[in-house]
Amino acid sequence: MKEFKGRVIVPGTCSAEALVSHNGFNTLASFQMAIMFNKKGVPCGDQNNPDLYNQKMQGKALCLPITIGSTTGGMILYTVLAVGKAPACMLFSESIDSLAASGAIMGDVWTDSSMPVIDRLGQEFLDYVKTGMTVTVKDDGVVEVE
Amino acid sequence: MILTPEQQAMLDGSKGEVMAKIVKTLVMYGDTFGAERMIPVTSKYGHTVISYGLKVLDPVLDVFDEIIDAGLTDGQKFTADPRPLDKNVPSNLLEDLVFKKIMYTDQARYEAQMEKLGILNDNAYSCTCYLDQVGNKPGKGEILSWAESSAVVYANSVLGARCNRNSGILELFGSIAGFVPEFGFLTDEGRKADWVIEVKCEKKPEAQLLGSAIGMKVLEDVPYVKGLDKWLGNELNDDACAYLKDFGAATASNGAVGLYHIDGLTPEAKELGETLIRDGAQVYVIDDAELERVKANYPVIWADKEARPELCFVGCPHLTLKQLCDWTDAIDRKLEENKLKKVSVPTVFTASPAVIAEFNKTDKANILKRSGVIVSYICALMYMNNPLCKKKAVITCSNKLRTYTSARYYTEGEILNIITSKEAKA
């Protein structure tokens, strides 16, 4: 087990199976088809992301560097939060980008959903965590990986 | 963040609960990025990335209803991204059924909301709101609350306006509140370059391919691009602006670039030169081989990779008037060379309603019509979101469209050859 400390963007706790993207996570490309057609488990639709393509994202601890792509990204993230299809948490190795921050904050302010978001976990976190590992997020931004 | 007394009162509910939530969202957004204050939005108009009434986006439309019901409809007027549907764009009965009965069932609800919230006019739907014909062109240094990645990167880079890569919904919050948190591209420091891009190509690089390569490399960083002057010159004329529009859209969609500087061409690069480059900036050298490598690595997700193209989209982002005219000339010339009267692949050119109206006043409109090309105001991406359309062999020279859909990317020259050849092959 290894522990990492990041910055809390949206507070909360959870424990979930890790799903790791080493490339920028394209929010629109990843979520759009799955939410539009209510696909079970919300499989990632981003053909350019070999780590995640077709992997189910709902309820997972999504580990990523940052999000990229369309400025609909935050709105899409807000939508998956509002309809209960979101990952269990989002864990950024880098400083969170403006789109992901928008979506996560809108989800926090405008819905009853709860998705902890931690950023600045460092490259070592992204190098260490592997898809399938168990990730536990604590209130103070500590992330345990085992 | 330090708020003015008026902003603090808004946060505390002086203008109602919904405005308080809007300000709270903006404050949390600013706090995340270390903003110390809010600054006024100074552009005349906003721009929203949301342009479609997708059933699945009901939670977003519900937020708009909350805002309208709270009477917060006197904010900044705005333009919006392109509409998703146009009966002139080829689609079969089943596809139409999916479009109208499953996907965009809330389009009328959405457009009625936009009217109440302050859409500029009924034709103000285009991703290229900054073109003269559309009329939402901010000046250098103006503070914007926009979303739409291709418009934000153009406004920041080519026009020298100041806008963060805001998300859909949040851009309207800034327009409604009248202020945005000051961080990132709104500050001088945030506009400095983290990368130097040295373009060492032998031939003029394809705008959308060069932008893709840079976007994938720098992600959300700011690139300072050298070596384009021999093709683009030192003046922002129609050709240079069109090139940068397409280039920027690819940097923003293949990566997350919100601002770039082109040495000797874009306003801040002209004014400040290499002082814009941060100490220790990384260097990325791009030559013809690197662009070939990037292009060769694009996945092709057609079921039959040898399929004959069924549809071609040109114009993501929307075409400028000059691009429409240049494409018309090129197609006319190639069809004549190949002794054809019409394009051999159903082809749709997309542009803003205002640009289309201007184009239709020229004699080229009839030439293009005779060639069989359809001109539409839609968002090709919204069309391709239809899972039935996704199964079609669609080709495009838009790297943005390629990124988000199953459309297959070709350079503009390759697209021209494919759609004007007797036996169109991918």
Side-chain angles (χ1 to χ4, degrees):
Chain A
M1 198 265 286
K2 200 159 182 176
E3 207 173 86
F4 299 87
K5 177 84 166 74
R7 177 179 65 149
V8 177
I9 303 295
V10 176
T13 59
C14 75
S15 188
E17 185 183 323
L19 182 61
V20 183
S21 172
H22 292 94
N23 301 319
F25 177 81
N26 195 317
T27 309
L28 174 64
S30 297
F31 281 114
Q32 66 171 343
M33 296 310 276
I35 58 166
M36 200 182 308
F37 296 100
N38 203 18
K39 292 187 180 177
K40 198 176 173 188
V42 191
C44 174
D46 183 5
Q47 58 186 300
N48 293 303
N49 190 337
D51 289 338
L52 297 194
Y53 188 49
N54 279 334
Q55 298 266 349
K56 291 179 178 174
M57 301 180 289
Q58 185 178 357
K60 298 287 177 64
L62 189 57
C63 307
L64 66 164
I66 58 167
T67 73
I68 60 171
S70 167
T71 48
T72 55
M75 176 184 85
I76 298 291
L77 189 55
Y78 168 76
T79 300
V80 297
L81 281 160
V83 299
K85 300 273 185 184
C89 59
M90 289 180 79
L91 306 173
F92 294 81
S93 62
E94 299 179 17
S95 290
I96 195 169
D97 56 280
S98 61
L99 300 180
S102 304
I105 291 166
M106 285 189 290
D108 191 45
V109 176
W110 293 78
T111 76
D112 297 327
S113 70
S114 167
M115 182 185 72
V117 179
I118 312 289
D119 78 344
R120 299 180 182 169
L121 285 160
Q123 185 59 42
E124 193 191 347
F125 163 73
L126 208 56
D127 291 341
Y128 182 81
V129 66
K130 303 283 182 292
T131 292
M133 286 177 158
T134 300
V135 171
T136 303
V137 178
K138 299 186 172 177
D139 255 340
D140 56 358
V142 168
V143 174
E144 289 176 357
V145 183
E146 54 191 333
Chain B
M1 188 185 305
I2 298 168
L3 300 178
T4 64
E6 190 192 355
Q7 290 161 356
Q8 184 64 51
M10 288 163 79
L11 179 62
D12 293 341
S14 68
K15 293 191 176 176
E17 188 189 337
V18 177
M19 181 62 98
K21 282 204 288 184
I22 286 174
V23 176
K24 183 180 179 188
T25 306
L26 291 170
V27 169
M28 285 178 72
Y29 181 50
D31 280 342
T32 300
F33 295 99
E36 292 180 353
R37 60 175 185 165
M38 296 287 181
I39 54 173
V41 174
T42 58
S43 67
K44 192 169 182 188
Y45 303 122
H47 182 83
T48 176
V49 67
I50 308 168
S51 65
Y52 41 91
L54 262 178
K55 182 70 185 161
V56 73
L57 291 181
D58 267 354
V60 175
L61 303 195
D62 291 345
V63 170
F64 294 160
D65 274 344
E66 271 194 66
I67 293 168
I68 291 164
D69 291 346
L72 302 175
T73 53
D74 56 353
Q76 187 182 37
K77 285 195 174 295
F78 57 88
T79 49
D81 263 15
R83 290 181 165 111
L85 299 174
D86 177 359
K87 61 180 171 44
N88 295 314
V89 176
S91 57
N92 61 35
L93 278 175
L94 268 180
E95 289 162 358
D96 280 343
L97 198 67
V98 173
F99 277 134
K100 290 173 185 166
K101 300 291 181 191
I102 299 175
M103 291 179 69
Y104 300 112
T105 50
D106 282 351
Q107 191 63 25
R109 177 187 173 199
Y110 160 78
E111 290 193 23
Q113 288 177 325
M114 291 301 103
E115 207 169 304
K116 287 176 184 160
L117 287 169
I119 186 89
L120 195 54
N121 58 58
D122 196 41
N123 274 333
Y125 291 92
S126 171
C127 48
T128 54
C129 60
Y130 44 79
L131 295 180
D132 289 334
Q133 295 88 350
V134 186
N136 183 3
K137 186 176 188 175
K140 186 168 180 289
E142 287 188 347
I143 305 297
L144 319 182
S145 184
W146 285 17
E148 165 50 46
S149 61
S150 66
V152 168
V153 73
Y154 188 94
N156 272 324
S157 312
V158 181
L159 303 178
R162 295 190 167 208
C163 186
N164 280 316
R165 270 171 59 87
N166 303 302
S167 172
I169 313 182
L170 200 127
E171 86 283 47
L172 287 171
F173 287 1
S175 285
I176 291 165
F179 50 79
V180 286
E182 185 183 41
F183 69 91
F185 298 136
L186 306 193
T187 68
D188 291 343
E189 186 59 25
R191 297 177 75 83
K192 289 193 170 168
D194 314 282
W195 285 82
V196 174
I197 312 296
E198 294 181 359
V199 178
K200 295 189 172 174
C201 298
E202 294 297 316
K203 58 187 181 198
K204 183 179 180 180
E206 188 85 2
Q208 298 231 17
L209 194 48
L210 180 65
S212 164
I214 292 173
M216 287 187 195
K217 176 66 79 176
V218 311
L219 295 180
E220 65 172 354
D221 287 346
V222 177
Y224 187 99
V225 185
K226 295 180 180 177
L228 282 175
D229 53 319
K230 60 183 162 181
W231 297 292
L232 300 188
N234 296 107
E235 295 301 327
L236 285 169
N237 56 28
D238 283 355
D239 284 334
C241 287
Y243 185 97
L244 295 180
K245 164 182 74 75
D246 293 340
F247 164 82
T251 65
S253 55
N254 286 232
V257 174
L259 165 67
Y260 57 81
H261 302 293
I262 307 292
D263 192 39
L265 183 60
T266 52
E268 283 153 287
K270 270 193 147 176
E271 190 181 319
L272 301 168
E274 295 192 16
T275 61
L276 282 168
I277 301 169
R278 287 186 206 280
D279 291 342
Q282 299 180 77
V283 177
Y284 177 32
V285 178
I286 297 181
D287 56 14
D288 296 318
E290 173 65 357
L291 292 182
E292 274 306 310
R293 183 195 67 78
V294 168
K295 184 167 178 255
N297 279 328
Y298 294 150
V300 177
I301 57 171
W302 290 3
D304 174 8
K305 291 182 173 45
E306 305 303 316
R308 187 181 190 282
E310 294 170 77
L311 185 62
C312 171
F313 275 114
V314 175
C316 172
H318 276 171
L319 294 167
T320 66
L321 180 60
K322 185 160 189 305
Q323 283 180 309
L324 265 176
C325 292
D326 289 348
W327 269 101
T328 302
D329 291 342
I331 286 175
D332 193 41
R333 198 165 50 242
K334 285 290 278 186
L335 288 178
E336 196 176 325
E337 266 176 42
N338 295 338
K339 299 186 175 19
L340 285 173
K341 285 195 163 39
K342 288 184 181 293
V343 289
S344 51
V345 177
T347 297
V348 179
F349 284 2
T350 51
S352 68
V355 164
I356 294 171
E358 284 300 306
F359 180 67
N360 284 340
K361 292 175 188 169
T362 71
D363 55 1
K364 294 187 192 298
N366 277 332
I367 297 170
L368 192 62
K369 194 173 180 184
R370 276 203 305 273
S371 76
V373 171
I374 294 159
V375 181
S376 171
Y377 53 76
I378 66 161
C379 172
L381 204 157
M382 296 298 112
Y383 175 95
M384 290 296 293
N385 277 345
N386 185 326
L388 298 177
C389 299
K390 189 182 174 186
K391 291 176 183 169
K392 286 181 178 175
V394 175
I395 58 173
T396 183
C397 50
S398 164
N399 226 318
K400 179 170 183 170
L401 193 60
R402 176 201 70 80
T403 299
Y404 296 126
T405 73
S406 58
R408 188 170 181 174
Y409 174 79
Y410 291 93
T411 64
E412 290 182 4
E414 289 169 336
I415 288 285
L416 180 65
N417 284 334
I418 292 169
I419 64 176
T420 58
S421 66
K422 283 180 184 164
E423 289 183 29
K425 282 182 185 167

